[in-house]
Amino acid sequence: MLKTFLTPRRADLGLTFLRIVTGVVFAAHGYQKFFTMGIPGVTGLFTQVGAPLPHISAILVASVELFGGTALILGLFTRLVAVPLATDMLMAIVLVHLKNGLTGPMGMELVLLLMSAAIALAVAGPGALAIDAIFSGRQTTARA
């Protein structure tokens, strides 16, 4: 019964859903860093937590989150952008969230979940409903 439930098409739909939702969250955080907090605000935060080269890191992190998140939504270069997104979250865990535990204020549950989703997408790919799949000639697994 479980074998018939876990079809390639359902796996593709699951990956598509994971990719789009993860992309929306990353893109929203990148947008927030650029346009709500501003790069000077992010630089101040990064200086406070001891991030290396805080101004450059602020620009890099905001860019990775905004443009990487947008690429995930589209399914464009999914595996390629998932790696820096996962690295971004690993650094956030190490520099900010680890000392606060898993849950609670500034806990690491969200960043851990985002890191895990990015790693899953780097390993499994975008699913068939993605620009990557169109360029690779793989529009749906069910057709293959």
Side-chain angles (χ1 to χ4, degrees):
M1 181 167 163
L2 185 59
K3 185 177 179 181
T4 58
F5 182 75
L6 296 175
T7 64
R9 181 177 173 150
R10 287 187 178 164
D12 277 333
L13 290 174
L15 285 169
T16 299
F17 184 74
L18 177 67
R19 176 179 47 78
I20 292 170
V21 171
T22 302
V24 166
V25 173
F26 273 117
H29 282 218
Y31 180 90
Q32 178 187 35
K33 284 176 177 67
F34 273 120
F35 303 109
T36 303
M37 295 175 69
I39 295 302
V42 178
T43 300
L45 174 66
F46 282 9
T47 300
Q48 217 173 16
V49 299
L53 303 169
H55 182 68
I56 294 170
S57 293
I59 294 168
L60 184 62
V61 166
S63 298
V64 163
E65 290 178 1
L66 180 60
F67 298 115
T70 302
L72 285 185
I73 293 166
L74 299 171
L76 182 63
F77 306 119
T78 301
R79 286 187 161 125
L80 184 64
V81 300
V83 173
L85 288 168
T87 304
D88 173 22
M89 292 298 95
L90 177 61
M91 294 309 298
I93 289 169
V94 170
L95 292 174
V96 179
H97 301 280
L98 187 62
K99 66 182 175 229
N100 298 310
L102 182 63
T103 60
M106 298 297 290
M108 65 178 174
E109 71 273 12
L110 175 62
V111 290
L112 183 62
L113 185 61
L114 288 170
M115 183 180 74
S116 299
I119 291 168
L121 291 167
V123 171
L129 302 173
I131 292 173
D132 290 339
I134 294 167
F135 287 138
S136 72
R138 183 185 159 262
Q139 291 184 356
T140 65
T141 304
R143 291 183 193 169

